[in-house]
């Protein structure tokens, strides 16, 4: 693919941002939440990103974002045009009525700017699940919960007669399903846009997207399939500088896989100075493989390749790193790659 071909692919693709409010060593979680709001303002100022989403995690030391609809309200209030949403609200953790009401409030306050991204995960550990009043089995009824939730928005739900989700009823809050594997089929059956990742498992992702498109049933929410691919992308002045941006998250993931705790991000130089066990080293290196990173020309070519392979409509970039200034620079470079065109806000 030539550079001109790559540029053509990128300029017709939407780019969006998911910030998980990652905590950093030496900083309290409150700062991470304030940083998310400031980051949203900076991302909007680039003028090239379509959405800014926040996430839901409970009792995770490395993530401050535990109440995504509350944080989304703060982000929407601090911005003026970029779409704001959740990536996502984990529906098995909540009652559909409450989720509908929360998004109804958000859309009432910020009409036409709110997205409702929904996932099927439950708490990270057994203790968290118990504290939330749920267990792993609750995720098995995600499709049913989703149907009830959407019914509250359309006013057609029958699971709870004469119960209405005010002010959500009648509001058109776009729903998205965050999925891997069977979740893609749930999105297809419900006729909803699909958010799928990560970029490392290319073949599995392409297969799941194919099943989603083949099984898609048009709905009141979408006439045709819509695919958002999600993953980490880092752009730097050099290839090595871009790779360093991914090191804090890769170590945090390796740490969680060996100790069961997802920690705050530490500076890349601290990670590189560590004496890792063989298992830690294996997991750490695995966490860096398959990620998209490099200079602007390198990332442009890599992104065009994965977008072409998946026929994705949108890319949701989920990158986190210790240094906020370096992260912002990476997104500024990504904005240049994407063509610096004002995104369609619809």
């Amino acid at each position: 693919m030539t550079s001109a071909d790559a540029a053509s692919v990128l300029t017709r693709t939407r780019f969006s941002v998911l910030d998980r409010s990652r905590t950093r060593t030496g900083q309290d979680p409150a700062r991470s939440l304030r940083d998310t709001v400031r980051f949203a303002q900076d991302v909007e100022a680039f003028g090239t990103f379509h959405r800014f989403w926040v996430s839901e995690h409970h009792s995770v030391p490395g993530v401050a974002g535990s109440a995504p609809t509350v944080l989304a309200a703060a982000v929407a209030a601090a911005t003026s045009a970029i779409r704001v949403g959740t990536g996502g609200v984990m529906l098995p953790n909540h009652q559909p009525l409450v989720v509908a009401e929360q998004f109804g409030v958000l859309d009432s306050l910020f009409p036409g700017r709110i997205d409702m991204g929904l996932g099927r995960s439950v708490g990270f550990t057994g203790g968290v699940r118990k504290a939330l009043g749920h267990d792993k089995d609750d995720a098995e009824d995600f499709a049913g919960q989703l149907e009830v939730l959407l019914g509250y928005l359309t006013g057609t739900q029958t699971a709870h007669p004469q119960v209405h989700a005010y002010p959500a009823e009648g509001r058109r809050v776009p729903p998205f399903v965050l999925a891997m594997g069977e979740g893609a089929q749930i999105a297809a059956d419900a006729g909803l846009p699909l958010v799928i990742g990560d970029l490392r498992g290319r073949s599995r992702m392409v297969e799941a997207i194919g099943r989603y498109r083949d099984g898609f049933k048009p709905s009141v929410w979408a006439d045709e399939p819509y695919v958002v691919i999600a993953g980490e992308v880092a752009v730097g002045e050099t290839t090595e500088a871009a790779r360093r941006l991914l090191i804090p998250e890769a170590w945090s993931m390796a740490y969680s896989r060996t100790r069961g705790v997802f920690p705050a991000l530490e500076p890349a130089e601290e990670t590189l100075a560590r004496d890792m066990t063989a298992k830690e080293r294996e997991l750490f290196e695995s966490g860096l493989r398959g990620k998209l990173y490099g200079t602007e020309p390198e990332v442009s070519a890599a992104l065009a390749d994965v977008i072409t392979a998946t026929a994705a409509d949108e890319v949701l970039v989920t990158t986190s790193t210790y240094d906020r200034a370096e992260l912002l620079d990476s997104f500024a470079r990504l904005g240049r790659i994407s063509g610096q065109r004002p995104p369609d806000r619809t």
Side-chain angles (χ1 to χ4, degrees):
M1 183 181 297
T2 67
S3 58
D5 290 337
S8 177
V9 170
L10 297 178
T11 54
R12 63 174 182 260
T13 304
R14 287 171 169 168
F15 282 80
S16 297
V17 178
L18 168 67
D19 188 70
R20 289 179 292 134
S21 303
R22 294 289 273 114
T23 57
R24 288 153 175 82
T25 56
Q27 301 174 8
D28 67 3
R31 176 173 174 180
S32 298
L33 295 173
R34 293 192 295 268
D35 283 345
T36 289
V37 175
R38 282 192 290 268
F39 185 40
Q41 293 172 318
D42 291 331
V43 166
E44 180 177 60
F46 291 143
T48 56
F49 293 97
H50 187 58
R51 316 177 200 277
F52 189 96
W53 283 5
V54 296
S55 64
E56 174 184 342
H57 296 272
H58 299 283
S59 190
V60 179
V63 182
S66 56
T69 53
V70 177
L71 184 54
V75 169
T79 55
S80 60
I82 196 168
R83 297 192 66 86
V84 177
T86 55
V89 165
M90 297 299 119
L91 191 52
N93 291 337
H94 310 280
Q95 291 297 323
L97 172 63
V98 175
V99 175
E101 290 171 336
Q102 290 174 345
F103 279 96
V105 170
L106 281 170
D107 190 64
S108 298
L109 295 173
F110 310 100
R113 292 182 57 205
I114 301 301
D115 299 323
M116 184 171 63
L118 304 163
R120 63 190 296 268
S121 296
V122 289
F124 187 61
T125 65
V128 172
R129 291 189 290 272
K130 185 175 181 180
L132 290 169
H134 297 283
D135 57 39
K136 286 184 177 180
D137 292 340
D138 291 332
E140 300 305 314
D141 191 35
F142 178 68
Q145 295 169 323
L146 181 62
E147 181 180 6
V148 173
L149 170 59
L150 298 179
Y152 278 123
L153 270 67
T154 59
T156 60
Q157 72 84 23
T158 58
H160 304 283
Q162 300 182 344
V163 176
H164 299 269
Y166 300 130
E169 190 169 301
R171 304 201 72 86
R172 298 286 296 179
V173 186
F176 296 75
V177 172
L178 281 64
M180 277 299 289
E182 67 179 275
Q185 188 60 52
I186 293 173
D189 290 340
L192 300 181
L194 172 70
V195 183
I196 188 167
D198 60 35
L199 301 180
R200 290 180 298 175
R202 176 83 62 89
S203 61
R204 287 183 301 165
M205 184 169 65
V206 170
E207 290 174 5
I209 290 172
R211 292 194 300 271
Y212 163 72
R213 288 200 172 99
D214 290 342
F216 185 85
K217 300 174 183 177
S219 70
V220 298
W221 303 103
D223 294 328
E224 57 188 22
Y226 188 89
V227 175
V228 183
I229 55 174
E232 294 180 62
V233 180
V235 194
E237 185 175 357
T238 65
T239 305
E240 181 56 31
R243 183 179 184 275
R244 283 179 64 88
L245 285 173
L246 301 176
I247 286 174
E249 187 71 47
W251 169 247
S252 185
M253 184 63 68
Y255 188 101
S256 71
R257 295 281 299 277
T258 54
R259 295 170 174 82
V261 178
F262 201 72
L265 298 175
E266 66 179 23
E269 54 269 22
E270 291 187 15
T271 299
L272 294 174
R274 284 183 175 276
D275 290 326
M276 299 184 194
T277 66
K279 182 64 173 179
E280 288 173 340
R281 177 65 62 181
E282 175 189 353
L283 292 170
F284 171 66
E285 295 293 344
S286 173
L288 292 172
R289 284 194 296 271
K291 303 294 174 63
L292 297 187
Y293 66 87
T295 62
E296 290 176 39
E298 290 169 338
V299 172
S300 177
L303 278 172
D305 180 59
V306 71
I307 292 167
T308 300
T310 59
D313 300 285
E314 186 171 339
V315 178
L316 181 66
V317 182
T318 65
T319 311
S320 298
T321 195
Y322 178 83
D323 191 304
R324 282 280 187 180
E326 291 179 354
L327 181 65
L328 193 62
D329 178 71
S330 177
F331 275 97
R333 293 175 185 274
L334 181 60
R336 288 198 289 269
I337 289 172
S338 69
Q340 289 201 354
R341 79 252 181 254
D344 175 9
R345 298 293 181 191
T346 60

